[in-house]
């Protein structure tokens, strides 16, 4: 994965739909926005999508099918406590996404690989949002 793609992930606006309406944005290497604190508590969270595997544009219908499969997989994880709609916005593109509270990194890593995602955003409690690179081969983890 080249640095320009990682830079794109870092500068994306990761929007989460709030339970009472409106949106709040998560930014990589910034603290989790206050409106999400009550949803998170001290639990882990992630912002992930199944759209456009490997950052290659897919047909809308293929993306919808994959996203529904990701949603079902997240719902079946034993630690999941909350799932909110999300939207990744960068430049001229948008991707439907999901903000999930509860699953650990190993579970999300597995789903990211299953749905062929290069990266996702995650955090713990009210701490900073981090970009995590996905790969079926080590090393993977935090983007430097």
């Amino acid at each position: 994965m080249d640095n320009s793609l990682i830079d794109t992930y870092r500068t994306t606006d990761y929007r989460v739909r709030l339970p009472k309406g409106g949106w709040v944005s998560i930014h990589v290497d910034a603290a989790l926005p206050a409106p999400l604190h009550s949803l998170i508590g001290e639990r882990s969270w992630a912002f992930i999508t199944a759209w456009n595997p490997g950052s290659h544009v897919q047909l809308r219908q293929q993306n919808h099918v994959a996203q529904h499969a990701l949603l079902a997989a997240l719902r079946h994880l034993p630690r999941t406590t909350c799932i909110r709609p999300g939207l990744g916005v960068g430049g001229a593109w948008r991707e439907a996404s999901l903000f999930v509270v509860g699953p650990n990194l190993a579970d999300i890593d597995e789903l990211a690989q299953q749905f062929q995602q290069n990266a996702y955003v995650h955090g713990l409690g009210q701490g900073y949002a981090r970009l995590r690179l996905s790969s079926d081969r080590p090393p993977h983890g935090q983007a430097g």
Side-chain angles (χ1 to χ4, degrees), residues 29-50:
D29 296 331
L32 189 73
L36 294 173
H37 291 181
S38 63
L39 289 175
I40 304 297
E42 294 301 316
R43 292 180 294 272
S44 59
W45 59 266
F47 189 99
I48 188 169
T49 188

Side-chain angles (χ1 to χ4, degrees), residues 78-113:
R79 294 178 190 88
T80 298
T81 61
C82 176
I83 302 172
R84 299 294 311 154
L87 185 65
V89 179
W93 60 270
R94 295 171 183 264
E95 290 182 342
S97 302
L98 298 165
F99 179 77
V100 60
V101 178
N104 61 32
L105 283 177
D107 290 335
I108 300 299
D109 281 346
E110 187 176 314
L111 289 176
Q113 290 175 16

Side-chain angles (χ1 to χ4, degrees), residues 113 134-140:
Q113 290 175 16
S134 307
S135 173
D136 59 355
R137 300 177 306 278
H140 70 269

Side-chain angles (χ1 to χ4, degrees), residues 29-79:
D29 296 331
L32 189 73
L36 294 173
H37 291 181
S38 63
L39 289 175
I40 304 297
E42 294 301 316
R43 292 180 294 272
S44 59
W45 59 266
F47 189 99
I48 188 169
T49 188
W51 277 52
N52 301 322
S55 294
H56 299 290
V57 176
Q58 301 293 308
L59 295 174
R60 188 174 192 83
Q61 182 60 30
Q62 290 174 302
N63 284 327
H64 283 293
V65 168
Q67 192 75 351
H68 285 286
L70 174 60
L71 177 60
L74 290 168
R75 285 180 173 154
H76 284 95
L77 292 176
R79 294 178 190 88

